[in-house]
Amino acid sequence: RRIEGCHSNICAAVRFRPGHKWELISGGLDSRVVHSNFNRIRTLHSFTLPKPPSNATPGQIVNPRFVYSLDCDPSGTFAVAGLGDGNVAVLDLQRRATVLELEATASLVAAVRVVPSPGALLVLAGGVDRHVLVARV
């Protein structure tokens, strides 16, 4: 199956949504995270990641907020997107909202993982600047 029209630029990351048959999350170089149903071949929701405030990290000029990496928590409630500006966006797939944004690295976030932890989730993010973020959310 092929879902067309999800992204206006390169789709850089794709992840199945755990516990939700037929659903996937994709992230692209158009600064969007798209939640889709690939059985019905339709978009369920699209998150356009907002521009950061004017006091954003200096790397923003060089590294746009493209989505380079994705992961979901084991329940499929939250998705985490690693961005080109060094931030990590935490998205609530049920409420269809961005709930948190973390400063992770000084350059693009190449990998993100969500690990269950008692009473919270651990977000792990690795940047191309060789730094690793471990955050409890």
Side-chain angles (χ1 to χ4, degrees), residues 41-85:
I41 309 179
R42 68 182 181 117
T43 298
L44 300 174
H45 185 70
S46 177
F47 298 87
T48 299
L49 300 169
K51 293 182 181 177
S54 59
N55 63 350
T57 57
Q60 174 60 30
I61 295 170
V62 178
N63 299 320
R65 294 172 61 80
F66 299 156
V67 180
Y68 286 99
S69 53
L70 285 172
D71 198 19
C72 291
D73 73 308
S75 71
T77 302
F78 297 99
V80 177
L83 307 178
D85 65 355

Side-chain angles (χ1 to χ4, degrees), residues 9 24 33 35 39 44 48 56-57 68 83 96 104 106 117 121-122:
N9 205 324
L24 59 86
V33 174
H35 177 199
N39 183 42
L44 300 174
T48 299
T57 57
Y68 286 99
L83 307 178
R96 299 180 174 186
S117 175
L121 295 172
L122 288 180

Side-chain angles (χ1 to χ4, degrees), residues 1-12:
R1 294 187 178 256
R2 183 183 206 148
I3 304 173
E4 296 183 12
C6 289
H7 295 280
S8 62
N9 205 324
I10 296 167
C11 177

